[in-house]
């Protein structure tokens, strides 16, 4: 189960790497915004993992609206990335869906994990197409 958290961190690092490589493309969102978003998500996941390793009840201590906010943020990033063909955004959305899928594994977690896998496949396809 904890592997989903590490997969989320890995996907964010991949997104950061792609953002740094795509900073000269004029069609993309500004790289500073994308780097700040990915950096905040990365630090949040690292802190969450540290708290989760210390006490596994941290999942229930965070109110549910925060998880819903992350879910909707991931969907918005996913729609924007699909429309703009922005590869780092696909990886960011996949990382968010993977994290929320870990938290909600027994309710909507499996569809979110499948959605994250689809996002990764789309990102790889678009990267190879370019």
């Amino acid at each position: 189960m904890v592997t989903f958290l590490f997969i989320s961190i890995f996907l964010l690092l991949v997104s950061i790497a792609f953002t740094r490589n795509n900073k000269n493309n004029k069609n993309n969102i500004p790289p500073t915004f994308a780097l700040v978003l990915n950096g905040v998500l990365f630090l949040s996941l690292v802190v969450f993992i540290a708290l989760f390793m210390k006490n596994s009840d941290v999942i229930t201590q965070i109110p549910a609206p925060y998880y819903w906010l992350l879910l909707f943020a991931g969907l918005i990033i996913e729609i924007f990335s699909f429309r703009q063909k922005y590869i780092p955004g696909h990886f960011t959305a996949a990382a968010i869906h993977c994290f929320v899928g870990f938290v909600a594994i027994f309710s909507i977690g499996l569809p979110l994990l499948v959605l994250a896998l689809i996002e990764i496949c789309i990102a790889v396809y678009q990267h190879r197409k370019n």
Side-chain angles (χ1 to χ4, degrees):
M1 293 299 256
V2 179
T3 56
F4 293 125
L5 295 175
F6 292 114
I7 290 171
S8 295
I9 287 178
F10 175 74
L11 289 172
L12 282 175
L13 290 174
V14 169
S15 178
I16 290 170
F18 271 110
T19 302
R20 290 185 49 97
N21 288 340
N22 287 339
K23 63 182 171 183
N24 293 330
N25 194 346
K26 298 291 183 194
N27 295 333
N28 295 336
I29 60 173
T32 53
F33 176 74
L35 286 174
V36 167
L37 176 69
N38 287 332
V40 168
L41 288 173
F42 178 76
L43 290 176
S44 300
L45 278 174
V46 168
V47 168
F48 183 84
I49 287 175
L51 292 174
F52 182 74
M53 293 296 181
K54 184 177 177 184
N55 182 10
S56 63
D57 291 338
V58 73
I59 293 174
T60 58
Q61 293 172 352
I62 298 173
Y66 291 119
Y67 294 123
W68 284 103
L69 181 74
L70 276 175
L71 175 67
F72 290 128
L75 288 173
I76 290 170
I77 292 170
E78 174 184 343
I79 291 168
F80 173 78
S81 300
F82 186 72
R83 184 178 166 122
Q84 296 290 325
K85 296 184 171 123
Y86 183 62
I87 296 169
H90 289 296
F91 285 113
T92 303
I96 291 172
H97 291 312
C98 196
F99 171 71
V100 176
F102 161 74
V103 172
I105 193 71
F106 295 113
S107 58
I108 62 168
L110 290 177
L112 287 176
L113 294 175
V114 170
L115 187 61
L117 184 62
I118 291 170
E119 276 294 312
I120 294 170
C121 292
I122 290 172
V124 169
Y125 173 75
Q126 286 183 352
H127 179 64
R128 288 190 181 195
K129 190 176 175 182
N130 292 337

